[in-house]
Amino acid sequence: MRWVIAWLGLCGAALAEGEQAGDFDYYVLSLSWQPTWCALEGAARGAEECSWGQGFVLHGLWPQYERGWPSYCATMERDPPRRQTEAMADVMAPGLAWHQWKKHGRCSGLPAADYFALMREAAERVALPEVFDRLRQDLALPARVVEDAFREANPGLRRDAITVTCEAGRIQEARICLTRELDFRDCGAGAVRDCRLTDAVMDGVR
C-alpha cells in the first residue's frame, strides 16, 4: 500500500508542473525576424538557418489565456518521434519544433502531428509583407511601421490583433492573435508586448 501512495504522490507532483492540456482561450502565432535572431544568437552558434537568407519565419503557435498563458502542460498525447520534428525542417529547425511542442504544443490538447499541421495552417493564413523580403541592408524604423505593413497585407487584421516586439533595440517578432479556428482576433492583455521604439533596427536579409 505504501508504494501505491508514493506512486500516486509522484504522479500528482508531475501533473502539477503544467496546466491542463486543451484549456486555453486563443492562439498567438509568433513570426520571428530571422536576421535579428541570427545577429544576436544564431550566427554565434553557427546555426544552419542563418544561411537561408529569410526574413519573417515561423517561430511557434502558442495557446493563450486572456491573461497569461499555459506552458509545459500535462497531456495524454505522445511526444513526437524525431522523424516528425525533422519533417518540419522546411519551416523551422527540428530542435525548435521539438521545443515548441514541449512548451506550447502539449497545451493545445492535440496530437503532435495535428499541432504541427495547425501551426503550418496558421502561418499560411498570414500574408507576409513583401516589402521586407527585399530588405538587403540594415534599416532603422519605427516598430509601428512593421505592424502597419502586416495590417496592409492582411485585410481584417485589426491593430489590437497584432503586436510587434523588440530585443536589444532590434525588431524581434510579429505576434498575431488568432481564435482557435485561426481567425484574427484581438489580443488579450497578457499577449501585448508592443515595441514603441521609433528607431528600431531591422537587420537586412542576407
Side-chain angles (χ1 to χ4, degrees), residues 31-33 36 56 165-167 170-175:
L31 302 170
S32 293
W33 182 246
T36 290
F56 279 105
T165 68
C166 292
E167 181 178 2
R170 289 174 156 96
I171 296 296
Q172 179 192 31
E173 293 184 343
R175 298 177 181 177

Side-chain angles (χ1 to χ4, degrees), residues 6 32 41 51 56 63 82 87 107 113 118 136 142 173 177 191 193 206:
S32 293
E41 300 180 48
S51 65
F56 279 105
R82 178 175 294 182
C107 297
L118 190 70
R136 293 294 179 264
E173 293 184 343
C177 297
R193 296 287 188 275
R206 298 177 176 88

